[in-house]
Amino acid sequence: MRHIISILLENEAGALCRVANLFSARGYNIESLTVAPTEDASLSRMTLVTRGSDDIIEQIVKQLNKLIDVVKLSDLTEGGHIERELMLIKVKAHDGQRAEMHRLAEIFRGRILDVTDNTFTIEVTGASDKLDGFLSAVNHDDILEVVRSGVTGIARGQKALHA
Amino acid sequence: MELTGAEIVVRCLKEEGVDYVFGYPGGAILHVYDALYKQDAVKHILVRHEQGAAHAADGYARATGRPGVVLVTSGPGLTNTVTGIATAYLDSVPMVVICGQVPTKLIGNDAFQEVDSVGITRPCVKHNFLVKDVTQLAETIKKAFFIATTGRPGPVVVDLPKDVTAAKTEFNYPKKIKMRSYSPTVKGHTGQIRKAVELMVEAKRPMIYTGGGVILSDGSKELIELTRMLSFPITNTLMGLGAYPGTDPQFVGMLGMHGTYEANLAMHHCDVLVAIGARFDDRVTGDIAKFCPEARIIHVDIDPSSISKNVKVDIPIVGSVPNVLRTMIEVLRENNLKPNSDALAQWWKQIDEWRAVDSLRYQHSDTIIKPQFVLEKLYEVTNGQAIITSDVGQHQMWAAQYYHFDQPRQWINSGGLGTMGFGLPAAMGAKLAFPERDVVCVTGEGSIQMMLQELATMLQYHTPVKIVNLNNRYLGMVRQWQEFFYEKRYSMSYMEALPDFVKLAEAYGHVGMLIERPSDVENALRKALAIKDRTVFLDFLTDPEENVFPMIPAGGGQNELLLAGRDKMVSTHEEGMVLV
């Protein structure tokens, strides 16, 4: 099953390496990983998407907790949560295609950020499957470049992850 | 008063009560060596290879329970310690390694003797630090000792650029340290402990299985009290030997791949398993699918990630062993709970039948020295009181089987990583800690040659240990597997061109003895042990093709243990052949 794990970790050099190292050393897979400082400059917030059986997820959570730099973590998929990913996509937009591409972007609530004579650069945000949906809606041959931020997320309700 | 970083390092070591540092100087760490020179509170042991420094510090730590301290230079100094660091990591030994680094300005520049020490050691340390600012130095060293010695212990590396050791700042050593990201659970959950105790007293075929965690946490006293209160059978892992007296009737011997018949069968047939400070290692469990099929399992461990890692457990208890066992004892007492004595009597009857098989029996010989015989005699001659270190291989298993350890911290070996070369420097570290005790390194002609150079260190610092070399001219454990599983194709397992160990010992300033006949074994050991002030190298020429029994072939279950003289040694199935 797919899990989104949110981690608060000390904003120290090498902290990211420790997490990445753990996954490669123990053979766990990382689907996506994002990390950035928080409002508290001494802490980074990492969001990690992984897949595995319940036993493997249990081990991943325990092993992450064991890392000295990890202050707190939570498996967002255990409760209600909001998941967001940002995608920038550069597509071919020749005369005959422009209206169709524009319409498609609107359906997915995308924003066209940059325009040239024959390309659009579109921003789409949402849960990962929505971005997947947009990608499959666009003719594959028309895609010039895709960049995705990886998933970030936060729990619904009053529960907050803090140090 | 302001101190240099180098002086701060030495002052921190003093504050931590460190008496010995094991190390080797070099360019990047020279300021610290200069600071060491100017004081005499911390003594430095100059090894001959940095791997020896890490193993010696490790031996010291295992013998005393205090952290071992290593001081090395950058680059090759650090890379040479990596095997020693990994050895300590796999066996959860508290250790602090301080290594020099090129100046901060040169980091990343491929400077002379530069490696990414933090990167190289990251997968085999509990934690590591790169100190970039001298004002952070004292607190970082405090954290290093705190992390290394608390929770599940382990090695911590502090990487120290040369300019940081030259820079000056006020010295303030924090008395206590609190880290928001690290606070191991010590006290076990009372509700879980109660549930565990209830299950234990209901058990009809209970079994206690304990590991290195009992020794690391100094939980032996509580373990003995609890086990005697319950009259349960108890087995120890290789790392746990000595936590419960090896000569006690409730002790059924070591378990696992080369454990006793009674220990392995009792594990297989038990209905309640109490695992304490053990981690269900593959050498213990054999095939997980066949492991303890009828048992409900209680697991006490300080490391939550050890619980349900290999084997799903029914009652997990996270906490330190002595703490949890103390509570178990109190719960038993306060509620006047008693185990099921009728069922226990039946169970013991069954165990005694298994015990009568005498699975450690071996063929004696008048003409050729049997390695087991040397260990039996060593046990007698030292009255079971010596600290025994070992290297890795057949001799290690025989030492574990035939030297009945009655005390914790008496048996020092590399169980997790299985590092050949560990025994000799570890013996040196143990002897420095306990100069009055007999320290014996049980080794083989393969292992000993991986750390021979430390014989010089042992002369320089006067650490008179006894080296029992079971010399069978083979890499014995490799040869044993090749005999059983590779149709006797002894690929690269024969040791040719061996040195004359007697002359070699003498060349290093020690006493050398060659023993070739069984009738000379006891006298040689007595003579060697009577020489209190010299290191003695006893080179025993042993039966070259002796095997370690019993044995669970890779991929087998604990009930598929094979016995000497009874069973044909074959792998249980093809999948077993890809296991180690």
Side-chain angles (χ1 to χ4, degrees):
Chain A
M1 214 187 113
R2 178 171 177 269
H3 288 254
I4 304 170
I5 299 173
S6 255
I7 308 165
L8 272 181
L9 73 169
E10 297 289 352
N11 190 5
E12 302 267 356
L16 170 63
C17 274
R18 288 181 211 280
V19 174
N21 229 61
L22 168 69
F23 275 71
S24 70
R26 296 196 181 262
Y28 306 140
N29 81 78
I30 299 180
E31 217 168 85
S32 83
L33 188 156
T34 70
V35 59
T38 64
E39 83 287 359
D40 174 350
S42 71
L43 287 171
S44 294
R45 170 88 173 230
M46 178 184 279
T47 311
L48 200 152
V49 180
T50 184
R51 275 176 198 281
S53 64
D54 289 354
D55 289 353
I56 288 178
I57 299 297
E58 183 186 334
Q59 262 302 306
I60 289 175
V61 166
K62 284 174 169 176
Q63 293 291 347
L64 283 169
N65 263 319
K66 197 164 137 181
L67 293 176
I68 306 288
D69 283 338
V70 169
V71 180
K72 240 180 207 163
L73 67 81
S74 130
D75 183 347
L76 293 181
T77 25
E78 277 180 354
H81 63 280
I82 297 156
E83 170 190 345
R84 284 290 178 274
E85 187 176 1
L86 181 144
M87 175 168 71
L88 300 176
I89 173 168
K90 194 173 285 182
V91 289
K92 289 182 196 164
H94 298 292
D95 287 342
Q97 296 170 298
R98 295 177 86 91
E100 169 65 13
M101 199 58 83
H102 199 194
R103 206 168 55 85
L104 199 60
E106 267 181 5
I107 291 171
F108 282 85
R109 297 188 192 185
R111 296 199 302 156
I112 298 172
L113 302 180
D114 190 40
V115 180
T116 70
D117 288 349
N118 43 24
T119 66
F120 281 164
T121 299
I122 305 167
E123 172 197 314
V124 187
T125 57
S128 300
D129 50 3
K130 176 183 158 187
L131 308 193
D132 295 341
F134 184 74
L135 279 177
S136 50
V138 177
N139 185 350
H140 185 78
D141 293 336
D142 290 339
I143 298 174
L144 295 168
E145 189 180 348
V146 171
V147 54
R148 296 173 69 151
S149 64
V151 173
T152 62
I154 199 162
R156 283 192 185 277
Q158 295 183 11
K159 209 170 80 179
L161 188 65
H162 54 78
Chain B
M1 199 184 81
E2 291 204 325
L3 299 182
T4 66
E7 288 163 341
I8 287 172
V9 170
V10 176
R11 283 287 297 276
C12 290
L13 296 180
K14 204 178 142 193
E15 294 284 335
E16 286 293 331
V18 173
D19 46 5
Y20 288 107
V21 171
F22 301 86
Y24 206 102
I29 197 74
L30 276 182
H31 290 324
V32 178
Y33 272 84
D34 194 47
L36 271 177
Y37 187 84
K38 295 172 185 162
Q39 56 85 53
D40 51 15
V42 182
K43 292 183 275 295
H44 181 275
I45 304 296
L46 176 68
V47 295
R48 298 301 185 266
H49 185 291
E50 289 92 346
Q51 187 184 337
H55 290 328
D58 185 326
Y60 174 92
R62 294 189 207 220
T64 60
R66 296 198 295 272
V69 181
V70 179
L71 186 65
V72 293
T73 193
S74 63
L78 181 276
T79 56
N80 277 346
T81 62
V82 168
T83 299
I85 294 169
T87 303
Y89 181 63
L90 266 280
D91 289 342
S92 310
V93 175
M95 180 184 287
V96 173
V97 180
I98 298 169
C99 60
Q101 181 55 281
V102 301
T104 40
K105 271 190 193 149
L106 289 181
I107 288 178
N109 231 353
D110 299 327
F112 176 63
Q113 293 196 327
E114 182 192 357
V115 291
D116 175 8
S117 303
V118 166
I120 282 179
T121 56
R122 192 179 293 123
C124 62
V125 293
K126 186 168 171 187
H127 198 59
N128 57 18
F129 297 96
L130 169 64
V131 185
K132 284 187 161 173
D133 179 351
V134 72
T135 61
Q136 301 292 312
L137 180 55
E139 191 186 322
T140 304
I141 293 179
K142 181 75 193 178
K143 280 184 184 170
F145 276 91
F146 175 61
I147 293 169
T149 54
T150 51
R152 178 176 179 175
V156 177
V157 169
V158 180
D159 196 19
L160 199 50
K162 190 166 185 177
D163 56 326
V164 175
T165 62
K168 285 188 165 185
T169 191
E170 284 292 330
F171 175 65
N172 280 310
Y173 200 62
K175 285 245 176 318
K176 277 189 116 168
I177 198 114
K178 205 168 151 30
M179 295 172 69
R180 62 179 171 185
S181 62
Y182 174 71
S183 58
T185 309
V186 174
K187 200 174 167 299
H189 187 279
T190 327
Q192 290 289 89
I193 294 176
R194 259 172 215 290
K195 265 163 68 183
V197 170
E198 281 162 22
L199 185 60
M200 281 151 72
V201 293
E202 278 169 22
K204 294 198 169 70
R205 299 184 308 282
M207 185 70 182
I208 300 176
Y209 141 62
T210 81
V214 180
I215 293 170
L216 290 164
S217 64
D218 292 317
S220 195
K221 198 173 128 249
E222 287 79 4
L223 177 67
I224 293 169
E225 190 177 339
L226 180 72
T227 307
R228 295 208 170 131
M229 272 176 90
L230 293 166
S231 311
F232 287 1
I234 177 168
T235 178
N236 293 160
T237 67
L238 178 70
M239 295 311 299
L241 291 172
Y244 191 84
T247 51
D248 187 280
Q250 276 173 255
F251 184 65
V252 295
M254 179 173 77
L255 83 165
M257 184 174 270
H258 294 297
T260 65
Y261 191 62
E262 54 272 34
N264 281 308
L265 284 193
M267 288 290 289
H268 187 77
H269 292 282
C270 72
D271 68 345
V272 171
L273 180 67
V274 190
I276 304 169
R279 59 185 178 92
F280 298 85
D281 172 81
D282 55 272
R283 281 293 180 276
V284 157
T285 60
D287 184 353
I288 289 280
K290 299 171 191 166
F291 179 74
C292 293
E294 293 160 41
R296 278 174 296 169
I297 302 176
I298 298 160
H299 189 187
V300 181
D301 205 291
I302 198 151
D303 176 6
S305 74
S306 270
I307 292 174
S308 292
K309 181 174 70 179
N310 301 331
V311 170
K312 214 63 195 143
V313 306
D314 301 281
I315 305 183
I317 302 169
V318 178
S320 99
V321 167
N323 218 297
V324 172
L325 299 195
R326 176 59 50 208
T327 313
M328 284 182 170
I329 291 165
E330 282 162 12
V331 171
L332 277 166
R333 279 231 177 86
E334 282 163 15
N335 301 289
N336 198 24
L337 294 171
K338 298 268 188 290
N340 182 337
S341 56
D342 292 345
L344 263 180
Q346 278 293 316
W347 179 225
W348 270 111
K349 197 166 151 258
Q350 172 65 70
I351 289 170
D352 287 337
E353 275 171 32
W354 290 327
R355 197 178 247 166
V357 168
D358 192 11
S359 61
L360 294 180
R361 191 185 48 210
Y362 63 94
Q363 201 84 47
H364 286 265
S365 166
D366 294 333
T367 51
I368 191 157
I369 298 175
K370 291 288 181 174
Q372 301 95 324
F373 178 69
V374 179
L375 269 315
E376 284 180 336
K377 286 294 158 195
L378 178 66
Y379 177 72
E380 274 175 42
V381 167
T382 55
N383 299 315
Q385 296 297 306
I387 294 175
I388 307 290
T389 72
S390 93
D391 272 302
V392 170
Q394 287 184 318
H395 66 267
Q396 177 189 25
M397 293 300 116
W398 285 316
Q401 290 174 332
Y402 294 93
Y403 202 98
H404 311 286
F405 300 96
D406 275 339
Q407 301 146 29
R409 304 195 181 280
Q410 204 192 341
W411 166 236
I412 294 172
N413 83 124
S414 166
L417 195 67
T419 310
M420 290 170 72
F422 173 79
L424 189 67
M428 174 169 73
K431 185 70 181 175
L432 280 165
F434 294 103
E436 302 307 317
R437 290 184 67 176
D438 287 326
V439 178
V440 181
C441 168
V442 176
T443 183
E445 82 289 348
S447 286
I448 191 75
Q449 291 190 82
M450 287 205 181
M451 278 284 122
L452 262 181
Q453 76 288 343
E454 298 310 323
L455 285 171
T457 316
M458 293 166 83
L459 184 75
Q460 182 174 348
Y461 297 98
H462 192 68
T463 55
V465 308
K466 306 298 171 265
I467 299 158
V468 170
N469 187 38
L470 300 177
N471 184 347
N472 60 359
R473 284 81 69 206
Y474 273 115
L475 298 176
M477 194 57 96
V478 172
R479 191 208 57 75
Q480 176 167 342
W481 280 55
Q482 289 172 335
E483 178 187 336
F484 294 160
F485 311 123
Y486 297 87
E487 296 164 327
K488 299 194 178 182
R489 289 184 299 276
Y490 293 155
S491 179
M492 297 295 131
S493 54
Y494 189 69
M495 276 269 141
E496 286 185 75
L498 284 174
D500 178 334
F501 285 111
V502 173
K503 281 190 188 155
L504 188 84
E506 287 168 1
Y508 274 107
H510 304 305
V511 180
M513 292 164 73
L514 176 66
I515 304 98
E516 296 176 276
R517 285 195 306 263
S519 53
D520 294 336
V521 168
E522 184 171 342
N523 272 342
L525 286 168
R526 286 198 189 282
K527 206 171 130 192
L529 282 149
I531 306 172
K532 292 286 176 205
D533 60 342
R534 305 276 301 275
T535 290
V536 184
F537 193 115
L538 296 114
D539 188 21
F540 291 94
L541 292 191
T542 60
D543 186 344
E545 300 206 352
E546 188 63 33
N547 290 317
V548 179
F549 285 111
M551 180 173 185
I552 303 171
Q558 291 182 319
N559 58 331
E560 293 171 306
L561 184 81
L562 304 177
L563 295 178
R566 190 192 79 174
D567 300 309
K568 189 169 148 31
M569 294 303 297
V570 284
S571 188
T572 45
H573 50 76
E574 256 176 42
E575 284 156 36
M577 285 298 287
V578 299
L579 300 173
V580 289

